[in-house]
Amino acid sequence: MPPSAEVPYGALDLMILKTLESMGPQHGYGIARRIEQIVQGSLALNQGTIYPALLRLEQKGWIASEWGTSENNRRARFYSLTRAGRRQLQTETEYWTRTVDIVHRLLGRT
Amino acid sequence: MMTSLRTLLSRLRGTFAGRRSEIELNAQIEAHLDALADDYVRRGVSPGEARAAARRDFGGIEQMKEACRDLRGIALINSIGRDVQYAVRTIARNPAFAVAAVITLALGIGANTAVFSLLDAVTLRSLPVRDPEHLLQVVKVEGTVRRGENYSYPQVRALSEQRDVFSGVFGAGSSPVITGAPDALQRADAAWVTGDYYETLGVHPVAGRLLSARDDQPGAPPAAVITEEYWNRLFSRDPAAIGRTIPIEGVPVPIVGITPRGFGGVHVGQIADITLAVSARPQLSPRDALYLGPGANWLRLFVRLQPDVMEAQAGTRLAVVWTQLATSRRPAGPALVSPRLAQFTLALVSGRTGSSPLREQFGPPLYALMVIVAVVLLIACANVANLLLARAAARQREIAVRLALGAARSRIVRQVLIEGMVLSSAGTILGVGLAWGGSDALIDLLSTGRMEPVLLDVRPNGHVLLFATLSAMATALCFGLAPALRASSTPCASLLNQSSSRIFGSPGRLASTLVVCQVALSLVLLTGAGLFVETLHNLRTLDAGFRHEGVLLARVDAARAGYSGADTVRLYDELLERARQIPGVRSASFSIITPPSGGGGISLSVGVNGHAPRQEEFHINGVSPGYFQTMSTPIVMGREFTSGDNEAAPKVAIINEAFAARELDGVSPIGQRVSLGSPPGTRGEMSIVGVVRDAVYETLRSGAPPTVYIPFAQSQGGNVTFEISADRGLAQVSSVVRSEFQRRLPRTIVDVRTLTSQVEATLVQDRLMATLGAGFGTLGLLLAAIGLYGLLAYVQSTRAKEIGVRIALGAGRARVMWTVVRDALALLTTGAACGLPIVWAVSRLVGSLLFGVRPFDPTTIITATAVLVAAGTLAGFLPAYRSASVDPMIALRHE
């Protein structure tokens, strides 16, 4: 399996937070679809894996959820970013940028 | 930090809200799959394929659910919860096993908890006061030996002046008072305390005020503090009780305050309903003025140190004050510490648990009982362990399957241990219930025959529940560990390959070992029970020198009823005359002391026939004519006292054989002259008119001391007890005596009891050990027999086929039975052999509790072994019979 197939640890959380920031409240399917569009097959992602991630983020208080109605009139649980989540996204973004930067420099691609 | 706390809380919530979250998650998954499938349909995929594609995209639903579950709950709690549920289900599937195990454990844990709660109440529990750890008691010691703990009122007052060392000093004595309306007099336990009692203890009133130094001044008006329980009993918690008066010794005393619930004074074993200042004592009863004097040592002494004072410093100060008190001459009378007491030094000991005469009396037996019940619990554990082993054997296949499917061995061990925990918890809950009732029965046993019942609070408290919980956990480990380890070490492949009937395998060395241990331990219990029963029997059948059957005792208090001097003697003679006229009364008498309740002996100079007197220890009693007849004490030589031996007549004495043997060197005693405490040849000299058989004086154990009896009329007088011997209708005679005597003795309570109950009261410790020792011995024997039966029955069931073959090949039924009985006997003899060294070691520890029997008594041990073997053989008989009745055809076809 090529190395690109794995989701780096913590990346999924960041992707979810970023998705919610840019798209506003979303249901699980919406988030999964959006992430899939972005990664465009470069990561092997089972859509189901976002649910444990969503639960984990909700337990940490970074996202909130409530039941609502989806665009095609289905009952769905909508997730939204909380204030703490926004802060966390910022911290995490900085962290990732720095990490990516370091890795880039290490690989001599600056 | 906040985040992890929030996560924890949300997980905890999730643990309990598991089911709802599960439903919500399912709904989300459904919605997600639907939406995914819709997308595929929109792209032109057929609905069926769209669904399959959606599933593929979604990934493993169950893994994802499990991941969510792990996140939701705290994984360990959840999985333990599942194990507990599983354990409860497995246990419930086999109710006979569950009931047997739980009852066995309940008996074991209940017995332990009951005895522990008594031990806790008597010796371990702190007084409900402020900072009990720093309360100290002052005791008298000689070297390292305790020589008493009672002090006189002036001594306590002298010590309480040492404020630079002690932040608080108080003395407390207990002595019942008579209270209630004149027509319904009753005794109440009372504490007499010095002024700083409550302040030093740090007890605060629930209503009113408590006694202070102002109440303990000469002439201060009497004031009573009552306990919350007494307030409840007498006044139904009426707040207006404060300021009301209660009659104490006929004097109305105002109630000034109420102490909090649970506080009953510093004397454990008594609950002082009423607390009064020592200085008020003469006002309530003028003849009690002597209790304020230097001659009456009756107060227990407690202190608290100043914060910066070390115990050693305080000890030095105590020694200085004690010496000062012993040497300084007072203007009137002798020093406050007598020369004899000055030989002792004062020592500080912990006062955390208060003081109790019960402790010395019941401490050793209670610790012995604790060991006994612990052994019972061990036997019970072995039974449950064997039950679990048998079940584990039956479940080996299940366990093998679980191991094969990848269950961790630790998980299997945990599962079996949790089953043990569930069983022991159920046993403990039932056991604590049993203990609750049981400890009351124990206290009744302690109180039998006592004038004042033993009052102890044995409601299950924190200590006791902690003890029960710890013993439950210890037992669960004890009986669960062996089966658990065995279960997990099962080699699964070999088991799965075997046919079902072979899985059971051999009964296991472990099970046999457990039964051998049970047998050994029950031999210890049975021998102990035998020794204690023998002790009680020896004491009861001991020739005490008097007969207690059919004799009533009536204790009268003439002084309290207002008699004094010659009036008292006349009253006694009159009462004696009346008693003799009551129908059914054979004879009657009175005496200063009635055995076996005499105090310690006295030490006086004894001079015989004008020889130089020697200081000797002996007992003395003043008795009326007819005493020896009433007590059925045989007169060996000479005569009994008559009414002629009055104060005007020449002084006479009757001695017992022990006194004659010690003092008279074989000279015929009659007519010899003896002087006690007075120089020979003076008026105090008495001539011996009779010799009586030795009679017990103080306790049955200590035997008969050298004793001198003098006519009551020639003694210094005092309160007496009447002995009334009746040949029929003791109860009826008793009520006649009570009403006849009561009429002449208003304002007092006439106590009528049987001499038998007075004798029994001195045997309370022995009765406790004999009754409970025998009870627990039987219980242990029963449990061991059940254990043996279980093992043999199990072996029999696994060997049915082999036995069938043997019977088919012509083995006689008797021979088949013998093989099972032989197994039983082998286990029994091995167990007994292992038990003997334990018996030898343990029985020596209880030597001090025995009487008339050696600790390692061969007869007792042989009897115990015989009982054990008989019970064991009986237990083996049923499996043996079943073996013999195996139908070979059925057994062989069964395979």
Side-chain angles (χ1 to χ4, degrees), chain B residues 331-573:
Chain B
L336 284 180
V337 172
S338 71
R340 182 173 153 73
L341 292 182
Q343 298 169 354
F344 305 148
T345 48
L346 301 190
L348 291 167
V349 297
S350 169
R352 178 180 67 84
T353 55
S355 83
S356 175
L358 291 179
R359 217 162 279 160
E360 231 161 83
Q361 194 185 359
F362 295 125
L366 281 177
Y367 282 112
L369 275 179
M370 207 64 236
V371 173
I372 289 177
V373 289
V375 171
V376 171
L377 186 56
L378 273 180
I379 296 180
C381 278
N383 260 2
V384 179
N386 259 346
L387 280 173
L388 281 176
L389 267 181
R391 257 164 48 86
R395 280 172 56 196
Q396 270 175 1
R397 197 184 173 81
E398 170 208 330
I399 288 168
V401 169
R402 287 178 64 184
L403 283 173
L405 289 179
R409 284 188 194 273
S410 65
R411 188 66 197 271
I412 303 271
V413 170
R414 197 173 81 190
Q415 175 65 48
V416 178
L417 280 181
I418 282 178
E419 263 184 58
M421 224 41 121
V422 168
L423 283 176
S424 80
S425 306
T428 307
I429 292 168
L430 195 59
V432 169
L434 285 178
W436 201 337
S439 40
D440 280 341
L442 283 181
I443 291 187
D444 284 349
L445 207 56
L446 294 187
S447 295
T448 318
R450 286 172 79 102
M451 294 282 274
E452 289 97 23
V454 174
L455 295 174
L456 289 169
D457 182 5
V458 289
R459 285 171 297 191
N461 59 3
H463 274 182
V464 173
L465 292 182
L466 182 68
F467 172 84
T469 314
L470 287 181
S471 42
M473 284 162 71
T475 48
L477 270 183
C478 201
F479 66 67
L481 204 54
L485 290 178
R486 205 174 120 123
S488 75
S489 61
T490 305
C492 54
S494 64
L495 270 169
L496 286 173
N497 290 337
Q498 285 172 355
S499 71
S500 65
S501 67
R502 294 286 299 280
I503 281 175
F504 292 97
S506 71
R509 193 167 292 159
L510 198 51
S512 308
T513 312
L514 284 171
V515 169
V516 165
C517 289
Q518 284 185 310
V519 171
L521 291 176
S522 25
L523 181 66
V524 176
L525 288 188
L526 281 177
T527 311
L531 292 174
F532 292 128
V533 169
E534 182 80 11
T535 296
L536 184 63
H537 177 77
N538 288 345
L539 286 168
R540 279 199 174 139
T541 54
L542 179 76
D543 180 11
F546 61 86
R547 260 170 56 91
H548 57 80
E549 294 92 351
V551 178
L552 289 173
L553 300 179
R555 196 169 72 177
V556 301
D557 190 346
R560 204 187 289 245
Y563 293 89
S564 62
D567 283 349
T568 314
V569 181
R570 257 199 306 282
L571 170 77
Y572 291 159
D573 287 339

Side-chain angles (χ1 to χ4, degrees), chain A residues 29 47-48 51-52 59 74 79, chain B residues 10 28 32 38-39 57-58:
Chain A
Y29 177 57
Q47 295 194 3
Y51 285 97
Q59 282 179 347
R74 279 217 174 80
Y79 294 87
Chain B
S10 130
Q28 284 193 73
H32 191 119
D38 282 357
D39 272 4
D57 283 358
F58 194 83

Side-chain angles (χ1 to χ4, degrees), chain B residues 608-627:
Chain B
V608 176
N609 285 335
H611 293 307
R614 284 175 305 176
Q615 194 77 13
E616 296 276 16
E617 184 117 357
F618 61 96
H619 285 73
I620 187 163
N621 194 4
V623 304
S624 77
Y627 173 79

Side-chain angles (χ1 to χ4, degrees), chain B residues 105-120:
Chain B
L105 288 173
L107 288 173
I109 291 178
N112 274 273
T113 309
V115 173
F116 178 79
S117 61
L118 204 58
L119 189 67
D120 175 57

Side-chain angles (χ1 to χ4, degrees), chain B residues 14-316:
Chain B
T15 305
F16 299 107
R19 182 150 304 191
R20 217 191 55 222
S21 322
E22 194 81 20
I23 292 171
E24 291 201 343
L25 184 64
N26 284 338
Q28 284 193 73
I29 295 168
E30 272 317 305
H32 191 119
L33 288 174
D34 285 350
L36 249 175
D38 282 357
D39 272 4
Y40 276 108
V41 170
R42 235 172 286 142
R43 277 184 248 155
V45 182
S46 76
E49 274 175 42
R51 192 78 198 165
R55 287 223 168 207
R56 212 165 34 244
D57 283 358
F58 194 83
I61 294 179
E62 283 310 313
Q63 282 99 312
M64 177 277 231
K65 275 188 185 171
E66 190 64 31
C68 283
R69 272 183 217 129
D70 279 354
L71 274 174
R72 256 201 315 266
I74 293 171
L76 190 64
I77 293 189
N78 253 1
S79 73
I80 286 184
R82 276 202 295 277
D83 277 359
V84 170
Q85 277 180 10
Y86 182 74
V88 170
R89 270 205 308 275
T90 0
I91 291 169
R93 261 209 302 274
N94 204 337
F97 160 77
V99 168
V102 168
I103 287 181
T104 306
L105 288 173
L107 288 173
I109 291 178
N112 274 273
T113 309
V115 173
F116 178 79
S117 61
L118 204 58
L119 189 67
D120 175 57
V122 171
T123 63
L124 303 176
R125 197 182 304 160
S126 299
L127 293 174
V129 300
R130 165 172 55 86
D131 192 16
E133 302 295 331
H134 286 100
L135 188 66
L136 298 168
Q137 193 189 353
V138 183
V139 296
K140 289 176 251 193
V141 293
E142 189 175 25
T144 53
V145 185
R146 282 236 202 160
R147 291 294 187 186
E149 49 186 17
N150 290 329
Y151 299 84
S152 69
Y153 184 56
Q155 286 166 2
V156 175
R157 291 208 74 124
L159 281 169
S160 53
E161 280 161 19
Q162 314 295 318
R163 297 308 293 228
D164 55 328
V165 178
F166 303 117
S167 65
V169 175
F170 71 84
S174 64
S175 158
V177 293
I178 289 179
T179 175
D183 54 338
L185 294 176
Q186 45 186 312
R187 246 184 223 103
D189 268 336
W192 301 87
V193 302
T194 60
D196 288 337
Y197 178 68
Y198 288 113
E199 205 197 313
T200 308
L201 285 176
V203 171
H204 302 288
V206 291
R209 67 169 181 92
L210 300 181
L211 300 177
S212 69
R214 273 184 303 131
D215 296 289
D216 191 29
Q217 305 279 343
V225 168
I226 60 174
T227 58
E228 204 246 22
E229 284 84 358
Y230 197 61
W231 181 38
N232 195 9
R233 204 163 358 126
L234 239 64
F235 300 102
S236 315
R237 314 180 66 86
D238 179 5
I242 308 276
R244 296 254 292 272
T245 62
I246 42 174
I248 297 175
E249 309 290 345
V251 179
V253 177
I255 296 170
V256 296
I258 294 153
T259 48
R261 187 170 179 74
F263 180 79
V266 293
H267 291 83
V268 175
Q270 281 174 6
I271 293 172
D273 293 328
I274 302 172
T275 305
L276 299 149
V278 173
S279 68
R281 202 161 176 178
Q283 295 182 51
L284 301 179
S285 167
R287 72 203 171 87
D288 284 350
L290 62 97
Y291 283 100
L292 270 57
N297 294 312
W298 63 292
L299 297 167
R300 307 279 162 89
L301 180 55
F302 288 83
V303 300
R304 275 189 203 273
L305 304 184
Q306 289 288 4
D308 51 342
V309 171
M310 309 299 288
E311 254 184 57
Q313 271 173 279
T316 318

Side-chain angles (χ1 to χ4, degrees), chain B residues 784-830:
Chain B
I786 291 173
L788 186 63
Y789 165 79
L791 180 69
L792 294 172
Y794 177 70
V795 173
Q796 191 271 330
S797 74
T798 58
R799 275 212 214 136
K801 192 178 139 201
E802 173 206 331
I803 294 166
V805 171
R806 292 174 61 179
I807 292 179
L809 291 178
R813 307 240 164 206
R815 203 177 161 72
V816 170
M817 279 181 80
W818 168 240
T819 55
V820 179
V821 172
R822 195 185 52 199
D823 277 357
L825 286 177
L827 288 168
L828 286 167
T829 40
T830 319

